[in-house]
Amino acid sequence: APAAAEPPRPGILGRLIGAEPEASRRVLDDAMLEQLEEVLIGADMGVDTALRVTANIAEGRFGRRVSTDEIKTALAAEITRIMTPVARPMPLYPSRPQVVLVVGVNGSGKTTTIGKLASQFKAAGKTVVIAAGDTFRAAAVEQLQVWGARAGVPVLTAPEGSDPASLAFEAMTKAQESGADLLMIDTAGRLQNRADLMEELSKIVRVIRKKDPDAPHNTLLVLDATTGQNALNQVEIFRKLADVTGLVMTKLDGTAKGGVLVALADKFGLPIHAIGVGEQIDDLAPFDPEDFARALVG
Ligand code: GDP
């Protein structure tokens, strides 16, 4: 199993009670609640979630003297409560192959995540096949081949500009014939023409269902956590384009204000299967709500 994520970010509460010593206490009043709301919104938690979390923290504490530590602990507990139901690894099914469709905008980390996942599955003793379904971006196909080689997993490709659905069908046929455990299908991430992308994704789904009516078993949406509130828009968009079953949040190793994960969990409740914590093949970790909350709160 991969190592737990490093505490990825500086905490968000640093400036709430300023430079006062941890033990100092302040009355929890409207001004402090407003400050807390601002900090949470500034950390990309979204207005609705920030207001609800703040209200929950105020409950039973309003008008009392509180310490920074008490607020931090309460906030971490609130965040953990919201995140715990979505912290679920990608479910595995007995289907051969289990088909994992991977969607997301270009640059979100799809290719990297496919490579990391393939490597993890392989290490767990599974046979994996990757289909380079973004046939319009030669660079994406090359990059996926590099990751496939790193993971020791075959990558099926098609000529540039050819129909991704044909490749998906061919990959499905080969994966079935070889008895592979998993088939991961990369897809295009051009949002410029959503109607095209929707047609492309639904055609892939249509053809693989000819081979297995339950496929795809998972549709993973890869989101770049550093895009903040944009990640929320991307979920809205991709849920219209495909039947998204789970999320992978990438780039949580940087200075990302991971607060958007709380907003995502609160708003959509989609499982977060894993988090990207770096650019190397082992930099994919299970999502741990308590570690996350502690790191976010600081
Ligand atoms: P794609 O266009 O969606 O396939 O995105 P890529 O997989 O090519 O990733 C885009 C960039 O993000 C690359 O430079 C990756 O190295 C980087 N990247 C992906 N995941 C992570 C991560 O978890 N942490 C960091 N720091 N960088 C990442």
Side-chain angles (χ1 to χ4, degrees), residues 104-113 116 137 143 147 186 249-254 275-279 283:
V105 299
N106 292 338
S108 60
K110 274 197 309 288
T111 310
T112 309
T113 299
K116 291 170 176 177
R137 274 201 311 164
Q143 197 52 28
W147 276 102
D186 188 21
M249 300 300 304
T250 65
K251 309 186 195 180
L252 274 165
D253 47 308
I275 57 171
V277 293
E279 299 187 83
D283 292 333

Side-chain angles (χ1 to χ4, degrees), residues 167-244:
L167 173 65
F169 187 77
E170 192 193 320
M172 187 70 183
T173 307
K174 284 194 178 158
Q176 278 183 336
E177 280 169 6
S178 68
D181 295 308
L182 284 140
L183 168 61
M184 304 186 68
I185 304 177
D186 188 21
T187 62
R190 307 168 255 108
L191 279 185
Q192 293 81 351
N193 189 336
R194 277 183 220 172
D196 268 5
L197 186 54
M198 183 185 290
E199 177 48 31
E200 190 170 316
L201 294 175
S202 55
K203 192 172 172 193
I204 291 173
V205 169
R206 237 168 23 242
V207 302
I208 56 178
R209 284 195 179 148
K210 288 184 197 298
K211 294 252 148 201
D212 179 349
D214 294 331
H217 304 82
N218 315 84
T219 299
L220 301 189
L221 173 58
V222 177
L223 294 172
D224 175 346
T226 66
T227 64
Q229 294 289 299
N230 249 328
L232 290 165
N233 300 334
Q234 286 173 19
V235 176
E236 303 259 17
I237 291 166
F238 274 96
R239 288 221 305 186
K240 292 186 189 129
L241 301 180
D243 184 12
V244 175

Side-chain angles (χ1 to χ4, degrees), residues 121-187:
F121 289 131
K122 199 173 175 218
K126 310 228 173 258
T127 45
V128 185
V129 174
I130 296 172
D134 189 357
T135 58
F136 286 84
R137 274 201 311 164
V141 173
E142 275 167 33
Q143 197 52 28
L144 202 53
Q145 285 173 314
V146 169
W147 276 102
R150 277 181 198 146
V153 162
V155 178
L156 302 180
T157 62
E160 191 174 346
S162 62
D163 183 3
S166 306
L167 173 65
F169 187 77
E170 192 193 320
M172 187 70 183
T173 307
K174 284 194 178 158
Q176 278 183 336
E177 280 169 6
S178 68
D181 295 308
L182 284 140
L183 168 61
M184 304 186 68
I185 304 177
D186 188 21
T187 62

Side-chain angles (χ1 to χ4, degrees), residues 25-71:
R25 289 172 173 271
R26 219 182 100 176
V27 172
L28 182 66
D29 55 8
D30 282 324
M32 185 169 167
L33 287 177
E34 218 164 284
Q35 230 178 328
L36 183 56
E37 276 165 20
E38 265 172 41
V39 169
L40 299 184
I41 292 167
D44 276 331
M45 224 176 262
V47 175
D48 296 340
T49 309
L51 295 186
R52 198 163 32 251
V53 165
T54 307
N56 288 347
I57 287 175
E59 224 181 286
R61 292 189 184 86
F62 194 79
R64 274 212 293 114
R65 283 190 169 276
V66 291
S67 67
T68 309
D69 279 346
E70 182 179 349
I71 296 299

Side-chain angles (χ1 to χ4, degrees), residues 82-83 86 232 247 260-270 272:
I82 294 171
M83 303 311 287
V86 303
L232 290 165
L247 307 176
V260 70
L261 273 72
V262 186
L264 284 167
D266 198 31
K267 186 155 186 205
F268 300 106
L270 283 165
I272 299 175

